[in-house]
Amino acid sequence: MTESAAPQAPHSSQPSDVARRERLRSRLKALGGYAAYVALALALWAASHGSPALGLSPTAAQAAVLVLFTIGAWAFGLFPEPVTTLTFFLLAVLLHVAKPEVIFAGFHSAAWWLVFGGAVTGLAVRTTGLGTRLASTVFALRRPTYPRYVTSVMIASVGLAFVMPSTTGRILLLIPIVLALADRIGLTEGRRGRTGLVMTVAAGSYMPPTTILPANIPNSVLMGAADSFYGVKLHYAPYLLLHFPVLGALKAVILVWVICRLFPDDGPLASPTTATPPPLTADARRLAILLALALAGFATDAWHGISPAWISVAAAILCLLPTIHIVSPKTFSDQMQITPLIYVAGFLGVGAVVADTGLGEKVARLCLDAVGMVPGTPVVNAAWLIAIGAAIGLVATLPGLPAVLTPLAGQLSNASGLPLYTVLMLQVPVFSTVLLPYQSPPMMIAMHLGGVGMRDGTRLTVVMTAITLVLLFPLDYVWWRVLGMLP
């Protein structure tokens, strides 16, 4: 008995060793969080006393520190995201870096209400079984494999951009269906294949559609600002021809390959049943009609002028009405997630503070003064313009990029010697490239709704940025030369 028990002693100590390491890791993470708060306090104190050296007012300098801290904490996951967001709100109000209506602008923005409405309808899609039925219909494959599912989800994400102008709306429609697909084929929570499908929706709904007018916020802002400031009208077909072949279609193909490599799933997939599915419940049928009407409203918002946000809220109200009873009050209170809503309000508030304090324009002018562009070197100057845009995108996030850069386009055109239209179009390669997920609010929304962490999202965006710099930008330059857009 003694001899047989002896070899088991090391094994019995393994769980305690694992628990000890977990406790140590937890303590180190907690200490790191405290150290980050101490560093933030010191940086805010230094900003209030040393701001003249930076050419900023004390308030603007503190705003810059707070914005950089918030962005860094989101990007590297220093704290749970609600903690970072609430810290930003609290300190921004206490330090008076902007008016409360600016700091909390996210809560009364159309984007926040779009997410709220979409979260309710997404909950309805999951609980009524409609998501499972749609997944079995939309993503039915004769020879199902994981790469084929990723490809079909990518085609759906990009294809929907041609008829539905809201990136967040497309994500809110697709995520519940794709999650139902994952459940149907056995990609349960924790499997890399499930993460891959969610990231396909996240990246496929934002990156390639930046090359389609007016499929998302950045190119819509660019279109409006170019006309407002310079009288330059952007038209659908020339914009598509210039950007879609490389940054749209080719990037979508590369995304599929990268996702299959970063999030491979070699495990067995459950075989979807070929039996006739049970009939839809009354709730599912009512929800299908409601979603069809909402989708029609999303796709025709340019005609009727009603924001997709209010269409989304109207659909949510109808789902919650007792007489319709698609989502019960208990289901709503038990399963409605508040974390994504806090996060959305946070990054919208950060963008509003950056715009209100002039930080984005300040960064742009500092970059322009630093690079010292000389007319006559179009390739170098185009690269500098992309680098300046990328720097601004890290601070102002990508939806705010055209609002910051477009008013400076005339000055950038004079400094670079490039035509004004070319300078305006050079914003597209920038806001189509996501270095860190927080830069693209719709991608973050998709990740939250799909249960994907920041680390997995960052892996994809960093790899895609590297591939874009090494491969896609040079090919895009050649394509622009062929079209006569660059000398």
Side-chain angles (χ1 to χ4, degrees), residues 289-342:
I289 295 172
L290 179 59
L291 289 180
L293 293 174
L295 178 57
F298 289 150
T300 57
D301 67 337
W303 173 67
H304 54 67
I306 301 175
S307 168
W310 314 131
I311 298 172
S312 180
V313 171
I317 292 172
L318 291 174
C319 286
L320 294 168
L321 279 178
T323 53
I324 297 179
H325 202 262
I326 295 176
V327 177
S328 67
K330 186 177 188 308
T331 300
F332 178 79
S333 60
D334 290 349
Q335 300 187 32
M336 184 69 176
Q337 299 293 321
I338 193 173
T339 297
L341 297 175
I342 294 176

Side-chain angles (χ1 to χ4, degrees), residues 228-307:
S228 175
F229 283 98
Y230 307 106
V232 176
K233 298 186 182 299
L234 305 185
H235 298 285
Y236 183 92
Y239 186 97
L240 189 73
L241 178 64
L242 181 62
H243 300 296
F244 186 75
V246 176
L247 299 178
L250 182 57
K251 179 174 275 191
V253 173
I254 293 175
L255 271 169
V256 170
W257 179 78
V258 170
I259 288 170
C260 289
R261 296 296 297 269
L262 289 180
F263 311 108
D265 198 289
D266 300 326
L269 298 179
S271 299
T273 178
T274 57
T276 302
L280 290 175
T281 63
D283 286 345
R285 288 197 299 271
R286 283 193 290 266
L287 179 60
I289 295 172
L290 179 59
L291 289 180
L293 293 174
L295 178 57
F298 289 150
T300 57
D301 67 337
W303 173 67
H304 54 67
I306 301 175
S307 168

Side-chain angles (χ1 to χ4, degrees), residues 66 113 197:
L66 186 56
W113 288 103
L197 290 181

Side-chain angles (χ1 to χ4, degrees), residues 193-250:
R194 189 183 185 91
T195 300
L197 290 181
V198 172
M199 289 309 302
T200 302
V201 176
S205 296
Y206 175 78
M207 292 184 187
T210 56
T211 63
I212 305 166
L213 281 179
N216 58 21
I217 291 176
N219 56 26
S220 297
V221 172
L222 174 60
M223 182 170 60
D227 188 15
S228 175
F229 283 98
Y230 307 106
V232 176
K233 298 186 182 299
L234 305 185
H235 298 285
Y236 183 92
Y239 186 97
L240 189 73
L241 178 64
L242 181 62
H243 300 296
F244 186 75
V246 176
L247 299 178
L250 182 57

